Amino acid sequence: MSQQFPSQELVVLWMLLLLLPGMGQSVAAQQGDFCGTAERDAAYFHQHPEEEADYRAVQRQYQDFMATRPDTAGTRNVKTIPCVVHVIQSSIVNELSDADIQTQIEVLNEDFRKIAGTPGDGAGVDTEYQFCLASIDPQGCATTGINRIVNPGLASHDFADQALLKGLIQWDPNMYLNLWVPTEIVTQAQLGLIVGYATFPDQLPSQPELDGVVVGAQYFVRSPVSAGRTATHEVGHWLGLYHPFQGGCSGVNASDCSFLGDEVCDTPQSSDPNTVCSGSPNTCIESPVDLPNQVDNYMDYAIGSCVTGQFTQGQKDRMDFFYTTYRSNLSSAANLSATGCDGTLASTCPPTSNFSADARTTCVGQPVTFSDLSNGPPSSWNWTFPGGIPATSTDQNPVVTWAQTGTYSVGLEVTNAKGTDSRTETAFITVQETQLPPLSENFDNVPDYPDGWYPENLADTLNWRKSNEAAYSDAFSMQLELFGNPNQGAFYSLNTAAFDLSGVATANLSWRYAYKRFSAFNNIDTLQVRASVDCGANWNLLWQRAGTQLASVGGNGINARFVPADSSQWSYVEIPVDTYAGRTQVRFQFRAISGGGQNLWLDDVNLSALVNAAEVSEQLWGLEVYPNPFREVPTVAYSLAQGSELSFSLVDLQGRTLFQYDVGRQAPGEYVLAADPDIYATLPPGIYFLRAESEFGNATKKLIKMAP
């Protein structure tokens, strides 16, 4: 979005744009080209107001460039841009083939070079930009220009967290155009369907680690679903172009068209995005010549349905200015040689072993997919997985399980004609024991994290940590320091242990949290609760609050970090999780998304579950409680069909253990539990669960205490 407005206005204008008729998910689905670049640009200048002056200086240079640019008609200055495509996949099954990716490079060349006889041969000009998949990587080794990384969590890419996706892999942006292709792009904001976004050239000096283009996989290919024009549109942004509807009907006069609107004088302004490539709508009045909207322009939204498209001479001039100012090294002779785009052949390199896994913490029997990230490239692989199944593998990307809990190392030896290299990572995989409900966790009697819990944050060193500054109950809670956090959009996840809910009929998850809004303008700090049925490999959203809805305390906390003062500043949430009954590896996750706002606090996480004794093992167990409901002390009778160690516990609806009684080992027979009658006598009226644990199965009975 144009930076001619203050940053707060940018956000408001973009959100208003999204509310216009014809916008939103339905149009995105039809046209396949709903662009998130303007929203990203607005957020960038909101986060970096100090760069407003630098941008204005660049704008003045652009005006001078346009005013003094000589007529270049008839001259040729073709610029080749080396590309690398990073495909972020949810599994080892390729969602896009190499051939699919090659069709996308073909579309870029057809559109930017206006190649005769192709859909790119529209009414516009040859921009003289062309694109090449690099054949030499940054280490000087051979490459296809395509990197494939299996990462289910990032394959579904959240638009709010660009740094996490791009931090996974990026090649030097001064040598390559980085194109990231996740399986999908999702957003928690009300932005409709986003199919792609890009960075602008003037942001390269300050944020090189984010430079490049992101396009969802189903749109990064020439297919019936997509003409491949999403990438054309986003690369146009990457080269400095705005939407023709930029700023609505501003910049429609010869005197202001180069610094208002899309800042290009030969693209007629449009008040709204054009979503249909037909007719001749005219939504703005230009002067001195009024022209209809240019619906077939690659930078509008209708282009996915157009037979041909176009870039104008003015857009080419603007691209040339920003390319010369920020990106000219890409097409230099030295860089084309270094990336192989001039035909230079890479030397065969000795391999360098490297690998990743789609999970570092897992459960017994849960598959873990390993990805070879070695350079070279290797021609053979020799993996070692001590304790794993299999224990060794020669596959490039093997899938491994573990049958026992513990911490395990992983090794990879890679070989090619030039040599061999090996890498071993100790304590690389942790296989955790699955726990049984109930859970009652107030973080007081644990070291850093409860047994089986772990933080999951790949964005920076900030994380959920145990704190004694505030708590709802007792002395400790978990705290996330978002106050003053510069990484807006970053995820901070706290994962629970995995629970075996196979014998559970019903279950509830509850927790308490505290949060105060940073300011009236901050509405994007978010807390989510998610669940996984595969030990944390994939997650489903259960609950979410943000901004005002998330606040447990009124007012704003713009001047000082928020620390809850007393129990009144905490909110309580309880949700049913019955849909996960019967599952054997259920994890829950508390995930915060930073909006650069205020601190989050978490306490009293409880998982209560009801299990019918008959469902566990009717032939081995017999558990009865009578009278039930009761007023004073009930009788707990049980029978055992075989000998076993036994223990009993009484929990409340919040999952808190009120008493535990270890019986020891008992022979087969019939028994009455000799529990302290004072325990029941002092219970307030309500619902409770008596849980019995044995070597051959567990049983739970629901108890109801009535008022005297």
Side-chain angles (χ1 to χ4, degrees), residues 236-274:
H237 286 311
W238 181 81
L239 287 167
L241 299 184
Y242 292 136
H243 297 134
F245 50 85
Q246 184 78 15
C249 292
S250 61
V252 293
N253 299 311
S255 60
D256 61 15
C257 59
S258 66
F259 60 89
L260 293 178
D262 70 347
E263 302 176 6
V264 174
C265 290
D266 62 357
T267 54
Q269 280 297 112
S270 173
S271 63
D272 308 325
N274 294 286

mmCIF file of all heavy atoms in Angstrom, residues 236-274:
data_model
loop_
_atom_site.group_PDB
_atom_site.id
_atom_site.type_symbol
_atom_site.label_atom_id
_atom_site.label_comp_id
_atom_site.label_asym_id
_atom_site.label_seq_id
_atom_site.Cartn_x
_atom_site.Cartn_y
_atom_site.Cartn_z
ATOM 1 N N GLY A 236 5.297 -8.642 -9.320
ATOM 2 C CA GLY A 236 5.125 -7.221 -9.654
ATOM 3 C C GLY A 236 5.286 -6.344 -8.429
ATOM 4 O O GLY A 236 5.942 -5.294 -8.470
ATOM 5 N N HIS A 237 4.691 -6.754 -7.295
ATOM 6 C CA HIS A 237 4.909 -6.019 -6.042
ATOM 7 C C HIS A 237 6.385 -6.049 -5.647
ATOM 8 O O HIS A 237 6.954 -5.031 -5.234
ATOM 9 C CB HIS A 237 4.091 -6.657 -4.913
ATOM 10 C CG HIS A 237 2.625 -6.383 -4.967
ATOM 11 N ND1 HIS A 237 2.101 -5.116 -5.138
ATOM 12 C CD2 HIS A 237 1.554 -7.224 -4.846
ATOM 13 C CE1 HIS A 237 0.778 -5.181 -5.122
ATOM 14 N NE2 HIS A 237 0.418 -6.448 -4.949
ATOM 15 N N TRP A 238 7.004 -7.212 -5.763
ATOM 16 C CA TRP A 238 8.414 -7.371 -5.384
ATOM 17 C C TRP A 238 9.314 -6.441 -6.198
ATOM 18 O O TRP A 238 10.373 -6.016 -5.730
ATOM 19 C CB TRP A 238 8.792 -8.842 -5.585
ATOM 20 C CG TRP A 238 10.194 -9.203 -5.222
ATOM 21 C CD1 TRP A 238 10.694 -9.464 -3.982
ATOM 22 C CD2 TRP A 238 11.276 -9.385 -6.143
ATOM 23 N NE1 TRP A 238 12.030 -9.787 -4.067
ATOM 24 C CE2 TRP A 238 12.408 -9.746 -5.379
ATOM 25 C CE3 TRP A 238 11.405 -9.273 -7.530
ATOM 26 C CZ2 TRP A 238 13.653 -10.004 -5.965
ATOM 27 C CZ3 TRP A 238 12.632 -9.528 -8.112
ATOM 28 C CH2 TRP A 238 13.734 -9.883 -7.333
ATOM 29 N N LEU A 239 8.850 -6.081 -7.406
ATOM 30 C CA LEU A 239 9.596 -5.145 -8.257
ATOM 31 C C LEU A 239 9.130 -3.703 -8.086
ATOM 32 O O LEU A 239 9.613 -2.815 -8.794
ATOM 33 C CB LEU A 239 9.478 -5.565 -9.728
ATOM 34 C CG LEU A 239 10.297 -6.809 -10.103
ATOM 35 C CD1 LEU A 239 9.891 -7.338 -11.476
ATOM 36 C CD2 LEU A 239 11.791 -6.513 -10.059
ATOM 37 N N GLY A 240 8.188 -3.455 -7.152
ATOM 38 C CA GLY A 240 7.856 -2.072 -6.809
ATOM 39 C C GLY A 240 6.493 -1.581 -7.217
ATOM 40 O O GLY A 240 6.184 -0.402 -7.009
ATOM 41 N N LEU A 241 5.630 -2.432 -7.776
ATOM 42 C CA LEU A 241 4.334 -1.970 -8.275
ATOM 43 C C LEU A 241 3.252 -2.076 -7.204
ATOM 44 O O LEU A 241 3.253 -2.995 -6.387
ATOM 45 C CB LEU A 241 3.906 -2.797 -9.492
ATOM 46 C CG LEU A 241 4.819 -2.755 -10.715
ATOM 47 C CD1 LEU A 241 4.185 -3.543 -11.857
ATOM 48 C CD2 LEU A 241 5.130 -1.324 -11.148
ATOM 49 N N TYR A 242 2.299 -1.114 -7.258
ATOM 50 C CA TYR A 242 1.123 -1.130 -6.408
ATOM 51 C C TYR A 242 -0.088 -1.589 -7.213
ATOM 52 O O TYR A 242 -0.039 -1.745 -8.441
ATOM 53 C CB TYR A 242 0.851 0.269 -5.852
ATOM 54 C CG TYR A 242 1.868 0.766 -4.872
ATOM 55 C CD1 TYR A 242 2.348 2.081 -4.949
ATOM 56 C CD2 TYR A 242 2.351 -0.050 -3.857
ATOM 57 C CE1 TYR A 242 3.278 2.556 -4.036
ATOM 58 C CE2 TYR A 242 3.280 0.412 -2.947
ATOM 59 C CZ TYR A 242 3.743 1.724 -3.038
ATOM 60 O OH TYR A 242 4.661 2.177 -2.135
ATOM 61 N N HIS A 243 -1.219 -1.755 -6.525
ATOM 62 C CA HIS A 243 -2.478 -2.070 -7.194
ATOM 63 C C HIS A 243 -2.998 -0.835 -7.933
ATOM 64 O O HIS A 243 -2.835 0.296 -7.447
ATOM 65 C CB HIS A 243 -3.532 -2.497 -6.169
ATOM 66 C CG HIS A 243 -3.184 -3.748 -5.421
ATOM 67 N ND1 HIS A 243 -3.312 -3.860 -4.049
ATOM 68 C CD2 HIS A 243 -2.724 -4.947 -5.856
ATOM 69 C CE1 HIS A 243 -2.948 -5.070 -3.674
ATOM 70 N NE2 HIS A 243 -2.583 -5.751 -4.741
ATOM 71 N N PRO A 244 -3.684 -0.986 -9.056
ATOM 72 C CA PRO A 244 -4.288 0.169 -9.732
ATOM 73 C C PRO A 244 -5.369 0.853 -8.895
ATOM 74 O O PRO A 244 -5.696 2.021 -9.142
ATOM 75 C CB PRO A 244 -4.885 -0.438 -11.013
ATOM 76 C CG PRO A 244 -4.126 -1.697 -11.226
ATOM 77 C CD PRO A 244 -3.797 -2.213 -9.867
ATOM 78 N N PHE A 245 -5.945 0.146 -7.916
ATOM 79 C CA PHE A 245 -6.943 0.743 -7.034
ATOM 80 C C PHE A 245 -6.310 1.336 -5.782
ATOM 81 O O PHE A 245 -7.012 1.651 -4.818
ATOM 82 C CB PHE A 245 -8.015 -0.285 -6.665
ATOM 83 C CG PHE A 245 -7.480 -1.599 -6.160
ATOM 84 C CD1 PHE A 245 -7.145 -1.778 -4.827
ATOM 85 C CD2 PHE A 245 -7.309 -2.663 -7.036
ATOM 86 C CE1 PHE A 245 -6.656 -2.991 -4.368
ATOM 87 C CE2 PHE A 245 -6.821 -3.891 -6.583
ATOM 88 C CZ PHE A 245 -6.491 -4.051 -5.240
ATOM 89 N N GLN A 246 -4.977 1.498 -5.798
ATOM 90 C CA GLN A 246 -4.255 2.069 -4.663
ATOM 91 C C GLN A 246 -4.786 3.466 -4.344
ATOM 92 O O GLN A 246 -4.775 4.348 -5.188
ATOM 93 C CB GLN A 246 -2.767 2.170 -5.011
ATOM 94 C CG GLN A 246 -1.877 2.657 -3.896
ATOM 95 C CD GLN A 246 -1.610 1.552 -2.896
ATOM 96 O OE1 GLN A 246 -1.858 0.402 -3.180
ATOM 97 N NE2 GLN A 246 -1.124 1.908 -1.742
ATOM 98 N N GLY A 247 -5.289 3.639 -3.127
ATOM 99 C CA GLY A 247 -5.760 4.964 -2.740
ATOM 100 C C GLY A 247 -7.049 5.389 -3.404
ATOM 101 O O GLY A 247 -7.401 6.574 -3.372
ATOM 102 N N GLY A 248 -7.770 4.428 -4.038
ATOM 103 C CA GLY A 248 -9.017 4.800 -4.685
ATOM 104 C C GLY A 248 -8.780 5.764 -5.836
ATOM 105 O O GLY A 248 -7.828 5.621 -6.598
ATOM 106 N N CYS A 249 -9.645 6.760 -5.956
ATOM 107 C CA CYS A 249 -9.544 7.720 -7.066
ATOM 108 C C CYS A 249 -8.611 8.874 -6.708
ATOM 109 O O CYS A 249 -8.989 10.059 -6.744
ATOM 110 C CB CYS A 249 -10.929 8.240 -7.445
ATOM 111 S SG CYS A 249 -11.992 6.995 -8.190
ATOM 112 N N SER A 250 -7.393 8.558 -6.329
ATOM 113 C CA SER A 250 -6.369 9.596 -6.136
ATOM 114 C C SER A 250 -5.308 9.402 -7.201
ATOM 115 O O SER A 250 -5.108 8.294 -7.697
ATOM 116 C CB SER A 250 -5.749 9.481 -4.738
ATOM 117 O OG SER A 250 -5.126 8.227 -4.556
ATOM 118 N N GLY A 251 -4.650 10.492 -7.571
ATOM 119 C CA GLY A 251 -3.644 10.411 -8.617
ATOM 120 C C GLY A 251 -4.226 10.289 -10.006
ATOM 121 O O GLY A 251 -3.665 9.598 -10.859
ATOM 122 N N VAL A 252 -5.353 10.967 -10.252
ATOM 123 C CA VAL A 252 -6.014 10.846 -11.555
ATOM 124 C C VAL A 252 -5.687 12.017 -12.482
ATOM 125 O O VAL A 252 -6.142 12.045 -13.622
ATOM 126 C CB VAL A 252 -7.547 10.748 -11.377
ATOM 127 C CG1 VAL A 252 -7.921 9.450 -10.679
ATOM 128 C CG2 VAL A 252 -8.085 11.938 -10.589
ATOM 129 N N ASN A 253 -4.912 12.975 -12.004
ATOM 130 C CA ASN A 253 -4.558 14.121 -12.830
ATOM 131 C C ASN A 253 -3.103 14.027 -13.270
ATOM 132 O O ASN A 253 -2.265 13.434 -12.578
ATOM 133 C CB ASN A 253 -4.765 15.428 -12.059
ATOM 134 C CG ASN A 253 -6.214 15.605 -11.639
ATOM 135 O OD1 ASN A 253 -7.117 15.457 -12.464
ATOM 136 N ND2 ASN A 253 -6.442 15.908 -10.363
ATOM 137 N N ALA A 254 -2.786 14.644 -14.393
ATOM 138 C CA ALA A 254 -1.422 14.611 -14.915
ATOM 139 C C ALA A 254 -0.428 15.215 -13.927
ATOM 140 O O ALA A 254 0.743 14.848 -13.916
ATOM 141 C CB ALA A 254 -1.365 15.358 -16.252
ATOM 142 N N SER A 255 -0.904 16.115 -13.059
ATOM 143 C CA SER A 255 -0.014 16.790 -12.122
ATOM 144 C C SER A 255 0.300 15.968 -10.878
ATOM 145 O O SER A 255 1.261 16.251 -10.169
ATOM 146 C CB SER A 255 -0.631 18.132 -11.692
ATOM 147 O OG SER A 255 -1.893 17.903 -11.064
ATOM 148 N N ASP A 256 -0.507 14.934 -10.575
ATOM 149 C CA ASP A 256 -0.271 14.180 -9.338
ATOM 150 C C ASP A 256 -0.226 12.668 -9.535
ATOM 151 O O ASP A 256 -0.073 11.919 -8.574
ATOM 152 C CB ASP A 256 -1.334 14.520 -8.289
ATOM 153 C CG ASP A 256 -2.757 14.185 -8.721
ATOM 154 O OD1 ASP A 256 -2.915 13.443 -9.707
ATOM 155 O OD2 ASP A 256 -3.702 14.666 -8.070
ATOM 156 N N CYS A 257 -0.341 12.193 -10.781
ATOM 157 C CA CYS A 257 -0.434 10.745 -11.001
ATOM 158 C C CYS A 257 0.862 10.005 -10.690
ATOM 159 O O CYS A 257 0.846 8.784 -10.504
ATOM 160 C CB CYS A 257 -0.865 10.447 -12.438
ATOM 161 S SG CYS A 257 0.243 11.117 -13.702
ATOM 162 N N SER A 258 1.995 10.716 -10.612
ATOM 163 C CA SER A 258 3.256 10.030 -10.338
ATOM 164 C C SER A 258 3.566 9.943 -8.852
ATOM 165 O O SER A 258 4.558 9.317 -8.473
ATOM 166 C CB SER A 258 4.418 10.728 -11.061
ATOM 167 O OG SER A 258 4.630 12.022 -10.532
ATOM 168 N N PHE A 259 2.741 10.555 -8.005
ATOM 169 C CA PHE A 259 3.000 10.437 -6.566
ATOM 170 C C PHE A 259 1.739 10.159 -5.745
ATOM 171 O O PHE A 259 1.793 10.105 -4.520
ATOM 172 C CB PHE A 259 3.723 11.675 -6.028
ATOM 173 C CG PHE A 259 2.977 12.974 -6.205
ATOM 174 C CD1 PHE A 259 2.074 13.423 -5.244
ATOM 175 C CD2 PHE A 259 3.191 13.755 -7.327
ATOM 176 C CE1 PHE A 259 1.404 14.622 -5.400
ATOM 177 C CE2 PHE A 259 2.518 14.962 -7.492
ATOM 178 C CZ PHE A 259 1.628 15.399 -6.530
ATOM 179 N N LEU A 260 0.589 9.965 -6.395
ATOM 180 C CA LEU A 260 -0.619 9.519 -5.709
ATOM 181 C C LEU A 260 -1.135 8.250 -6.392
ATOM 182 O O LEU A 260 -0.696 7.897 -7.487
ATOM 183 C CB LEU A 260 -1.691 10.608 -5.721
ATOM 184 C CG LEU A 260 -1.410 11.887 -4.925
ATOM 185 C CD1 LEU A 260 -2.558 12.874 -5.093
ATOM 186 C CD2 LEU A 260 -1.166 11.580 -3.459
ATOM 187 N N GLY A 261 -2.086 7.590 -5.745
ATOM 188 C CA GLY A 261 -2.623 6.358 -6.316
ATOM 189 C C GLY A 261 -1.548 5.298 -6.429
ATOM 190 O O GLY A 261 -0.767 5.079 -5.505
ATOM 191 N N ASP A 262 -1.482 4.628 -7.587
ATOM 192 C CA ASP A 262 -0.438 3.613 -7.773
ATOM 193 C C ASP A 262 0.862 4.220 -8.280
ATOM 194 O O ASP A 262 1.820 3.491 -8.570
ATOM 195 C CB ASP A 262 -0.921 2.500 -8.701
ATOM 196 C CG ASP A 262 -1.075 2.953 -10.149
ATOM 197 O OD1 ASP A 262 -1.050 4.177 -10.411
ATOM 198 O OD2 ASP A 262 -1.227 2.077 -11.024
ATOM 199 N N GLU A 263 0.896 5.571 -8.411
ATOM 200 C CA GLU A 263 2.093 6.332 -8.767
ATOM 201 C C GLU A 263 2.596 5.987 -10.163
ATOM 202 O O GLU A 263 3.782 6.118 -10.462
ATOM 203 C CB GLU A 263 3.190 6.122 -7.714
ATOM 204 C CG GLU A 263 2.726 6.527 -6.317
ATOM 205 C CD GLU A 263 3.728 6.248 -5.227
ATOM 206 O OE1 GLU A 263 4.855 5.835 -5.549
ATOM 207 O OE2 GLU A 263 3.389 6.427 -4.044
ATOM 208 N N VAL A 264 1.680 5.540 -11.026
ATOM 209 C CA VAL A 264 1.991 5.262 -12.427
ATOM 210 C C VAL A 264 0.934 5.976 -13.265
ATOM 211 O O VAL A 264 -0.265 5.772 -13.057
ATOM 212 C CB VAL A 264 1.976 3.747 -12.717
ATOM 213 C CG1 VAL A 264 2.162 3.489 -14.204
ATOM 214 C CG2 VAL A 264 3.065 3.042 -11.920
ATOM 215 N N CYS A 265 1.363 6.791 -14.219
ATOM 216 C CA CYS A 265 0.424 7.679 -14.910
ATOM 217 C C CYS A 265 -0.367 7.014 -16.030
ATOM 218 O O CYS A 265 -1.418 7.520 -16.410
ATOM 219 C CB CYS A 265 1.178 8.895 -15.456
ATOM 220 S SG CYS A 265 1.741 10.023 -14.141
ATOM 221 N N ASP A 266 0.132 5.907 -16.575
ATOM 222 C CA ASP A 266 -0.611 5.311 -17.693
ATOM 223 C C ASP A 266 -1.434 4.090 -17.275
ATOM 224 O O ASP A 266 -1.872 3.314 -18.119
ATOM 225 C CB ASP A 266 0.328 4.961 -18.855
ATOM 226 C CG ASP A 266 1.371 3.923 -18.476
ATOM 227 O OD1 ASP A 266 1.409 3.516 -17.296
ATOM 228 O OD2 ASP A 266 2.160 3.523 -19.362
ATOM 229 N N THR A 267 -1.660 3.923 -15.978
ATOM 230 C CA THR A 267 -2.619 2.911 -15.500
ATOM 231 C C THR A 267 -3.814 3.662 -14.936
ATOM 232 O O THR A 267 -3.716 4.272 -13.866
ATOM 233 C CB THR A 267 -2.003 2.014 -14.415
ATOM 234 O OG1 THR A 267 -1.484 2.824 -13.361
ATOM 235 C CG2 THR A 267 -0.889 1.164 -14.981
ATOM 236 N N PRO A 268 -4.954 3.661 -15.613
ATOM 237 C CA PRO A 268 -6.121 4.390 -15.104
ATOM 238 C C PRO A 268 -6.472 3.927 -13.687
ATOM 239 O O PRO A 268 -6.490 2.727 -13.403
ATOM 240 C CB PRO A 268 -7.224 4.022 -16.100
ATOM 241 C CG PRO A 268 -6.492 3.618 -17.343
ATOM 242 C CD PRO A 268 -5.224 2.981 -16.878
ATOM 243 N N GLN A 269 -6.745 4.896 -12.824
ATOM 244 C CA GLN A 269 -7.093 4.562 -11.442
ATOM 245 C C GLN A 269 -8.461 3.892 -11.375
ATOM 246 O O GLN A 269 -9.339 4.141 -12.200
ATOM 247 C CB GLN A 269 -7.098 5.819 -10.572
ATOM 248 C CG GLN A 269 -5.718 6.275 -10.117
ATOM 249 C CD GLN A 269 -5.039 5.259 -9.225
ATOM 250 O OE1 GLN A 269 -4.048 4.659 -9.612
ATOM 251 N NE2 GLN A 269 -5.561 5.069 -8.015
ATOM 252 N N SER A 270 -8.608 3.056 -10.357
ATOM 253 C CA SER A 270 -9.866 2.366 -10.097
ATOM 254 C C SER A 270 -10.235 2.593 -8.643
ATOM 255 O O SER A 270 -9.375 2.508 -7.759
ATOM 256 C CB SER A 270 -9.714 0.872 -10.391
ATOM 257 O OG SER A 270 -10.862 0.161 -9.989
ATOM 258 N N SER A 271 -11.497 2.890 -8.386
ATOM 259 C CA SER A 271 -11.915 3.117 -7.002
ATOM 260 C C SER A 271 -11.922 1.828 -6.203
ATOM 261 O O SER A 271 -11.699 1.833 -4.996
ATOM 262 C CB SER A 271 -13.304 3.762 -6.965
ATOM 263 O OG SER A 271 -14.270 2.888 -7.541
ATOM 264 N N ASP A 272 -12.201 0.711 -6.878
ATOM 265 C CA ASP A 272 -12.291 -0.594 -6.236
ATOM 266 C C ASP A 272 -11.474 -1.597 -7.041
ATOM 267 O O ASP A 272 -11.177 -1.374 -8.217
ATOM 268 C CB ASP A 272 -13.745 -1.088 -6.188
ATOM 269 C CG ASP A 272 -14.686 -0.063 -5.600
ATOM 270 O OD1 ASP A 272 -14.258 0.665 -4.686
ATOM 271 O OD2 ASP A 272 -15.845 0.002 -6.063
ATOM 272 N N PRO A 273 -11.157 -2.733 -6.445
ATOM 273 C CA PRO A 273 -10.540 -3.801 -7.236
ATOM 274 C C PRO A 273 -11.504 -4.281 -8.315
ATOM 275 O O PRO A 273 -12.707 -4.352 -8.101
ATOM 276 C CB PRO A 273 -10.286 -4.906 -6.207
ATOM 277 C CG PRO A 273 -10.337 -4.231 -4.874
ATOM 278 C CD PRO A 273 -11.291 -3.098 -5.018
ATOM 279 N N ASN A 274 -10.957 -4.595 -9.472
ATOM 280 C CA ASN A 274 -11.747 -5.210 -10.532
ATOM 281 C C ASN A 274 -11.631 -6.717 -10.396
ATOM 282 O O ASN A 274 -10.526 -7.264 -10.356
ATOM 283 C CB ASN A 274 -11.233 -4.763 -11.904
ATOM 284 C CG ASN A 274 -11.449 -3.280 -12.131
ATOM 285 O OD1 ASN A 274 -12.565 -2.837 -12.372
ATOM 286 N ND2 ASN A 274 -10.381 -2.503 -12.047
#
